[in-house]
């Protein structure tokens, strides 16, 4: 598994460190069955989720993000003081403003870094990598930190059995550094379909429904999902994004070591993998232990996949994600 793609920019964005963090508290399917009319059997067969990690009131998105970031920095052996860019991909930020990235910068004392949040929902992390790719390839920055961090359980309607079974909290982070040895992000493809914004949303408290005004429907503080529509779109768009990556980079299935998808539902991932003719061993699944952690899901899965020694030097890996927006995208990375 070593297909060097040599023609390209002088510099590439290389992942040199990774880390993840999830809260200690967990909620099993049996716990949920005591809260809503559901069962371990239904949740397992329809989604693949067995247990999810849940934040306590004191555990916030910036806290999770900072813990994951510290692990990624330690792994990369990079001093936070030398960081040049911090992007936090999240739709459950610390507060309306300032950005969650500001809190991470403060916690890390990464005084030199440009910082901002990126709201592309479950695709936030892959969108973030595509931005860093530009900054590192152009030579503008030497390094960057991309974090996917979410506390979706804080906007979960625990009385809605269709949605409350799906989500969990967590954070994953990667350090990227500029190198010119052939490794790195080879290609990114991002897409969106704003016409379908209603398929997945949480409407309070933005400018349309500000916190100072009473809501016409109190449920607007929670995530709303049109499960079937999301399901169908997700399978279609994941297949499209991975196919685009393979065509653009001239890759066959044999060239790909692993596809790390956003973990939204095991059936969605398996269905997309089947259409792509990907063998099971090339599709990483860890949704059973975490549920859907939105922007945190790909970096948590990647961290775990790497620590299980399923990725080695020279391997080509595809990250792919899909979520609210609708927004989806993929990155091709050579390790
Ligand atoms: O990252 C993007 C965010 N993720 C998503 O938006 C999720 C994408 N969608 C999905 O994962 C799936 O559509 C769900 C897991 C949400 C639902 O699975 P499904 O196979 O599409 O089920 P369904 O909505 O068609 O519902 C089938 C039945 C319904 O009952 P009836 O009408 O057939 O009697 C539901 O009321 O299952 C019922 N149901 C449940 N039963 C037990 C729905 N939720 C539950 C539940 N436990 N938790």
């Amino acid at each position: 598994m070593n297909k060097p793609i040599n023609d390209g920019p002088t510099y590439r964005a290389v992942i040199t460190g990774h880390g993840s963090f999830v809260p200690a508290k967990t909620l099993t399917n049996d716990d949920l069955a005591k809260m809503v009319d559901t069962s371990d059997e239904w949740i397992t067969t329809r989604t693949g989720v067995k247990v999810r990690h849940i934040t306590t009131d004191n555990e916030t998105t910036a806290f999770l993000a900072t813990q994951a970031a510290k692990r990624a920095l330690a792994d990369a052996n990079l001093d936070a003081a030398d960081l040049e860019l911090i992007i936090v991909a999240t739709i459950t930020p610390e507060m309306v403003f300032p950005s969650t990235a500001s809190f991470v910068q403060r916690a890390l004392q990464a005084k030199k870094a440009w910082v901002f949040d990126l709201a592309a929902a479950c695709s936030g992390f892959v969108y973030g990598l595509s931005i860093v790719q530009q900054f590192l390839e152009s030579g503008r920055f030497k390094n960057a930190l991309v974090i996917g961090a979410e506390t979706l359980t804080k906007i979960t309607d625990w009385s809605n059995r269709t949605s409350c079974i799906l989500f969990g909290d967590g954070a994953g982070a990667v350090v990227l550094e500029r190198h010119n040895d052939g490794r790195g992000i080879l290609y990114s493809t991002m897409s969106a379909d704003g016409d379908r914004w209603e398929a997945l949303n949480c409407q309070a408290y933005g400018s349309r429904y500000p916190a100072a005004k009473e809501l016409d429907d109190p449920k607007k503080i929670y995530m709303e999902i049109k499960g079937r529509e999301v399901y169908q779109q997700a399978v279609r768009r994941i297949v499209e994004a991975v196919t685009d990556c393979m065509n653009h980079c001239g890759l066959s299935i044999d060239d790909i070591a692993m596809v790390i998808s956003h973990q939204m539902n095991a059936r969605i991932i398996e269905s997309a993998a089947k259409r792509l003719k990907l063998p099971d061993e090339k599709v990483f699944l860890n949704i059973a232990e975490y549920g859907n952690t939105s922007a945190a899901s790909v970096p948590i899965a990647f961290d775990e996949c790497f620590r299980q020694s399923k990725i080695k030097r020279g391997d080509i890996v595809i990250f792919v994600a899909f979520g609210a927006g609708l927004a989806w995208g993929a990155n091709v990375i050579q390790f």
Side-chain angles (χ1 to χ4, degrees), residues 38 42 46 122 161 200 227-228 230 262 264-265 267 292:
T38 191
W42 194 96
R46 296 288 181 129
C122 303
R161 68 175 183 174
L200 271 164
R228 277 277 118 194
V230 175
H262 166 46
M264 73 285 271
N265 180 327
R267 282 162 59 217
N292 177 346

Side-chain angles (χ1 to χ4, degrees), residues 71-334:
R71 290 178 180 179
L73 285 164
D75 189 42
N77 202 18
L78 185 72
D79 193 338
D82 295 324
L83 266 177
E84 295 179 313
L85 173 64
I86 300 173
I87 299 175
V88 178
T90 187
I91 46 162
T92 46
E94 191 74 2
M95 49 184 74
V96 175
F97 68 86
S99 69
T100 307
S102 301
F103 290 95
V104 173
Q105 186 211 31
R106 178 174 189 255
L108 297 175
Q109 286 297 290
K111 301 262 188 196
K112 254 182 20 189
W114 294 14
V115 306
F116 64 91
D117 286 3
L118 195 164
C122 303
S123 302
F125 180 77
V126 297
Y127 263 74
L129 290 188
S130 76
I131 293 170
V132 164
Q133 180 188 358
Q134 309 308 315
F135 275 116
L136 299 196
E137 283 183 2
S138 71
R140 179 65 181 84
F141 287 139
K142 286 195 274 305
N143 64 54
L145 174 66
V146 182
I147 308 166
E150 301 279 18
T151 51
L152 285 176
T153 67
K154 294 184 196 280
I155 55 166
T156 295
D157 179 357
W158 292 106
S159 68
N160 181 341
R161 68 175 183 174
T162 313
S163 65
C164 76
I165 54 154
L166 295 170
F167 301 101
D169 299 330
V174 295
V175 170
L176 296 113
E177 294 180 75
R178 188 171 85 184
H179 284 290
N180 62 354
D181 57 7
R183 294 177 297 156
I185 302 177
L186 306 179
Y187 179 64
S188 293
T189 176
M190 302 294 135
S191 301
D193 179 2
D195 285 344
R196 292 185 188 270
W197 73 268
E198 281 178 293
L200 271 164
N201 66 73
C202 178
Q203 299 189 27
Y205 290 110
S207 60
R208 189 176 290 195
Y209 301 106
K213 269 191 167 176
E214 201 178 327
L215 292 169
D216 54 353
D217 173 4
K219 293 272 184 194
K220 283 200 168 88
I221 60 170
Y222 300 123
M223 274 179 287
E224 186 188 10
I225 63 168
K226 297 191 172 31
R228 277 277 118 194
E229 182 180 352
V230 175
Y231 191 112
Q232 285 161 4
Q233 285 289 316
V235 173
R236 179 176 158 201
R237 302 307 190 177
I238 289 170
V239 170
E240 276 176 20
V242 173
T243 304
D244 178 357
C245 289
M246 292 173 68
N247 289 344
H248 182 91
C249 297
L251 301 170
S252 69
I253 285 166
D254 286 346
D255 298 318
I256 300 167
M258 191 66 74
V259 173
I260 299 179
S261 171
H262 166 46
Q263 309 281 310
M264 73 285 271
N265 180 327
R267 282 162 59 217
I268 291 175
I269 299 170
E270 284 160 2
S271 174
K274 199 171 160 201
R275 291 183 195 197
L276 289 161
K277 300 194 169 52
L278 283 164
D280 290 351
E281 66 275 13
K282 295 193 178 195
V283 182
F284 190 75
L285 272 180
N286 69 350
I287 192 169
E289 296 110 89
Y290 302 100
N292 177 346
T293 59
S294 185
S297 134
V298 169
I300 291 174
F302 165 64
D303 189 41
E304 203 162 293
C305 187
F306 211 99
R307 281 193 278 109
Q308 289 174 11
S309 304
K310 291 187 171 160
I311 300 170
K312 57 181 189 319
R313 181 80 192 245
D315 277 355
I316 291 175
V317 175
I318 295 180
F319 292 171
V320 62
F322 171 91
L326 299 174
W328 62 96
N331 322 102
V332 182
I333 304 170
Q334 183 152 34

